[in-house]
Amino acid sequence: MDRPAGQAPAKASPGKCIHCGLDLARTHRSQDGPFCCQGCQTVYHLINETGLEQFYDLRPSSMAPPPDLRPDNLAWLELMLADPDHDMGDGLVRLRLDLQGVHCAACVWLLEQLFARRPAGRSLVINPALGTVDLLWDTKLGDLGEYATDIERFGYRFGPPRKSRSPGSRSLQIRMGLTIAVALNVMMYSLGYYFGLTPEESGPAYVLFGRLSLVFSGLIVFVGGWPFIIAAWRGLRRRVVHLDLPIALGMLLGYAGSVVAYFTEGPEAAYFDTISIFVALMLVGRWLQEWVLEKNRHALLESGGIADLYARRFGGGRLHAVAAAEIVSGDELWIAPGDLVPVDGVLMQREARISLDWITGESDSQDREPGETVPAGSFNAGEQGFRVGAAENFSDSRLHELLRVHRTERDEGPDWWHKISTIYVVAVLVLASVGFMAWSGSGLRKSVEVSVAILVVTCPCALGLAVPLARELVHVALRRHGVLLRSETYLDRALRIRKILFDKTGTLTRGQLTLDDASRHELHSLPLDQRTVLWNMTSRSNHTVSRCVSAVLSLAADAVSEGDADLDPGGDGVREVSGQGLLWENDEGLWRFGRPAFALADGPQIEKTVERSVFSLDGKPLVGLDFAEEIKKDASDEVETLRSMGYTVHVLSGDAQVRVSQTASTLGIPRERAEGGLTPETKAARVRELDETDTLMVGDGLNDSPSFDEAWCAATPAVDRAILPHKADFYYLGDGISAVRRTLQAAARLRRVQRSNLVFAVAYNLVAVAFCLSGFVTPVFAAVLMPLSSVSVVSLTALRLAGGRSTWMS
């Protein structure tokens, strides 16, 4: 049966977000409907409005929610379109671009559908694994920037082409493919011996299959085993013993034992098939480890640091897109709504509203008058563009240090697995030597047979497979909840975390204001005519306070004639006094809404709280409204949970101390652990003081960049600019902070599974080695025991980490 037009399938189960399928338990509010965040609600309605409901038939049962993206000025795209290297003639351009936000086949389908609706779109080829797109566009029929802006509404973004496949990953794929193909041939040859192939009955085939198995398994050990052999050798040169050493020894000695058996007892006594499959499985495990991290890294645009900044500069009576590095003092720049100001500049011609949250953490937007300074790193928060005269060269801009891309992971000595590997390798070599000496009296062949059996039966194939599998399952579980790890070592380092340092604006709060309950009640208690006046005034302003009040009045049950009234044309005379508030004079008198000192011209001052605005008529107060920042829906529960788990929670912010204290109080964080008014440099210094290789810094602004360098671990929800995710150990999507708890729980769960696997491996090896030392286990029988133990450990790992769709990560 066909689905009605404009109606998406109700694919989500009860208690799940209808767009992304994530759990609503911690983030849901009844007024939000069946959505986990505002981003999901927005994209869901966009998909339905544009007739793309099939998206929900293609998407998996759950996926990462769409991010909240700042608008991109696309100046980089203008430069690419102007490059003659991309010109195919007759208005056609061929471009390769980076792509952010593709997680599944449904994402690819959605982008292709949006592209097909553009008359100018000729060809679109998406590489979801790498996060790139190749497209052919007819510039005579449409603007490519419009398509780029269109997909941003759905949570995707184009960027300059910087992504490339890791050479190491590509090499592993080639080795893995070759090794698996050849191993299958070796297994096919071995079947003949298992089914009774003998030299008497099948002489030529018997000899040929044996020789091919000998040569092909040697090729497998050389090609597939090389990454482990070379890693073990480099480790020994640095006097570091890790898990690659026993794996490499197992490969080499297992093959050597098979060669000895081949020449002394015949091909049926060798175990080339077991060694071949062992090498192939080890390669698969190694590739899994690298692939999942590469996949998470490619989900975002690559950060070019300073190279990511572009601006539009006036010259010759026209606007030209330029790289920010080309800006010099005296240049005249155009800053469109949402654009970043790349250098300190002087505002020209008219007033402007800017946001400093990215560089200072201040939640309030600020107004600037012509002639005043607009600092580098601020954003145009208004609805109109403005001109800025550059007051410095970009080379002197403070953004240089803040945009430094690389963050070095701190090395605090050998990790847990390296210590275990050292003990393991030493124990295996000692036991093999003991076996050799114990049986030396029975002849060289028997002593070699016993020592080889010990080395084969104790080969860490089980751990070599279980370790990457466990990490892959944890990555998948986190990714399903919108958490993407970028660092290979984070899950190990996370076990040392004891202090969690949150930025405030954009991390704990949404950077938007909300009325407290008392003020909301007082506002709704105003007479309808007064509420209508206030709605007319605030609807004409883009200030955060005005937007908050206008939204509350629009949602009121009977406000503004049941919410259906049009704006009063007389309200076009509303004036906004920069930094003070709004005023409107009509037949009833002079209405004011804004700061107490502005609204109450002749009356007594109302005591100022954290945020207070007053609505008045002819200087007489009608209502006083208190505002607070809107805290993310799950922040209170998550902070309480983190504290109950034994973590110390701090708030470090560049915003005013009074706002930071109020947020901390709401979240139950002690006042002494809430610090405001911090510059990027003082915040980094404070992180350095607190850090004892046990801090996790969570922030979303450029002012947090230096703090990331000082923290033991770092995380960010900011994916609209690539700089912070590329310095973070993980980034997360959605409208909450549960990602922090989830990664800490995942690290603890992974360690418990690893420990239990180790206990199983030790118990198995003790029993197996005892039989080997007694002389009952031959190398061939040891080669059979080895995969049995591997299957057991791998199955146990999968059951504990993937059973029940990862219910351990609630």
Side-chain angles (χ1 to χ4, degrees), residues 179-222:
T179 299
I180 291 174
V182 177
L184 290 174
N185 281 275
V186 174
M187 289 185 67
M188 180 180 65
Y189 302 144
S190 300
L191 285 176
Y193 301 111
Y194 291 135
F195 288 121
L197 187 67
T198 62
E200 293 80 11
E201 298 179 0
S202 308
Y206 177 88
V207 174
L208 177 63
F209 285 2
R211 290 176 178 175
L212 288 175
S213 296
L214 172 68
V215 173
F216 283 175
S217 58
L219 177 66
I220 288 172
V221 170
F222 178 75

Side-chain angles (χ1 to χ4, degrees), residues 48-271:
N48 281 268
E49 291 167 4
T50 52
L52 297 170
E53 302 89 350
Q54 191 179 347
F55 173 88
Y56 295 103
D57 295 328
L58 299 173
R59 75 159 172 81
S61 58
S62 64
M63 63 181 187
D68 182 18
L69 300 175
R70 291 182 188 266
D72 187 350
N73 67 10
L74 299 177
W76 60 269
L77 184 58
E78 292 182 24
L79 293 175
M80 288 191 68
L81 291 172
D83 188 340
D85 290 341
H86 303 301
D87 189 359
M88 305 296 293
D90 197 27
L92 291 177
V93 293
R94 185 179 297 277
L95 299 175
R96 166 163 288 186
L97 305 174
D98 285 354
L99 178 60
Q100 172 176 309
V102 174
H103 300 288
C104 60
C107 296
V108 174
W109 178 85
L110 183 63
L111 289 167
E112 290 175 342
Q113 292 299 309
L114 293 172
F115 186 83
R117 296 182 178 188
R118 298 279 174 173
R122 296 296 184 86
S123 171
L124 181 74
V125 179
I126 297 173
N127 183 342
L130 189 57
T132 60
V133 58
D134 292 282
L135 59 83
L136 185 65
W137 187 267
D138 190 340
T139 57
K140 296 185 299 182
L141 298 179
D143 182 5
L144 181 56
E146 292 181 0
Y147 174 61
T149 302
D150 190 24
I151 67 169
E152 279 192 5
R153 299 190 302 152
F154 293 85
Y156 308 101
R157 170 166 283 178
F158 287 141
R162 294 197 178 95
K163 294 181 183 178
S164 61
R165 188 176 297 277
S166 168
S169 176
R170 181 64 175 169
S171 173
L172 274 178
Q173 282 184 317
I174 295 174
R175 291 178 183 273
M176 185 173 63
L178 180 61
T179 299
I180 291 174
V182 177
L184 290 174
N185 281 275
V186 174
M187 289 185 67
M188 180 180 65
Y189 302 144
S190 300
L191 285 176
Y193 301 111
Y194 291 135
F195 288 121
L197 187 67
T198 62
E200 293 80 11
E201 298 179 0
S202 308
Y206 177 88
V207 174
L208 177 63
F209 285 2
R211 290 176 178 175
L212 288 175
S213 296
L214 172 68
V215 173
F216 283 175
S217 58
L219 177 66
I220 288 172
V221 170
F222 178 75
V223 174
W226 182 254
F228 302 92
I229 296 169
I230 194 65
W233 172 246
R234 288 170 179 168
L236 288 175
R237 291 183 62 183
R238 298 194 308 269
R239 298 183 180 181
V240 174
V241 177
H242 49 72
L243 204 59
D244 283 342
L245 180 57
I247 291 175
L249 283 175
M251 292 176 181
L252 293 174
L253 293 176
Y255 179 68
S258 291
V259 171
V260 171
Y262 172 81
F263 284 108
T264 58
E265 301 180 42
E268 70 273 15
Y271 37 95

Side-chain angles (χ1 to χ4, degrees), residues 533-659:
V533 169
L534 183 56
W535 178 70
N536 271 277
M537 295 174 68
T538 55
S539 295
R540 287 176 166 83
S541 171
N542 194 43
H543 195 277
T544 52
V545 170
S546 297
R547 290 204 304 266
C548 175
V549 173
S550 177
V552 171
L553 288 173
S554 298
L555 292 173
D558 65 342
V560 198
S561 301
E562 304 296 336
D564 295 325
D566 295 326
L567 287 174
D568 183 349
D572 292 345
V574 172
R575 290 194 296 118
E576 185 165 354
V577 180
S578 178
Q580 298 298 319
L582 306 172
L583 58 86
W584 182 26
E585 188 170 9
N586 62 11
D587 295 339
E588 298 178 66
L590 182 61
W591 304 86
R592 293 175 184 259
F593 177 66
R595 297 182 182 275
F598 169 76
L600 305 175
D602 301 316
Q605 298 299 304
I606 296 178
E607 181 183 357
K608 188 178 184 341
T609 57
V610 175
E611 296 287 351
R612 165 153 285 217
S613 293
V614 175
F615 181 43
S616 69
L617 176 60
D618 293 330
K620 297 179 180 180
L622 300 175
V623 67
L625 304 177
D626 287 321
F627 297 83
E629 280 192 87
E630 185 177 351
I631 295 175
K632 292 189 175 181
K633 291 174 283 187
D634 66 346
S636 294
D637 288 341
E638 290 295 335
V639 168
E640 181 180 353
T641 301
L642 289 171
R643 295 180 65 191
S644 68
M645 292 168 64
Y647 297 100
T648 303
V649 180
H650 295 252
V651 181
L652 305 178
S653 175
D655 207 354
Q657 181 64 52
V658 64
R659 296 193 185 100

Side-chain angles (χ1 to χ4, degrees), residues 368-416:
R368 290 288 192 272
E369 298 289 342
E372 293 184 339
T373 298
V374 179
S378 58
F379 283 90
N380 181 353
E383 296 180 339
Q384 293 181 315
F386 55 80
R387 295 191 183 209
V388 167
E392 61 181 354
N393 297 336
F394 183 77
S395 57
D396 299 324
S397 172
R398 67 184 303 223
L399 295 186
H400 257 288
E401 178 60 25
L402 294 179
L403 286 171
R404 187 164 56 88
V405 176
H406 300 291
R407 167 178 174 262
T408 303
E409 291 182 4
R410 291 156 60 181
D411 183 11
E412 297 296 324
D415 63 20
W416 183 73

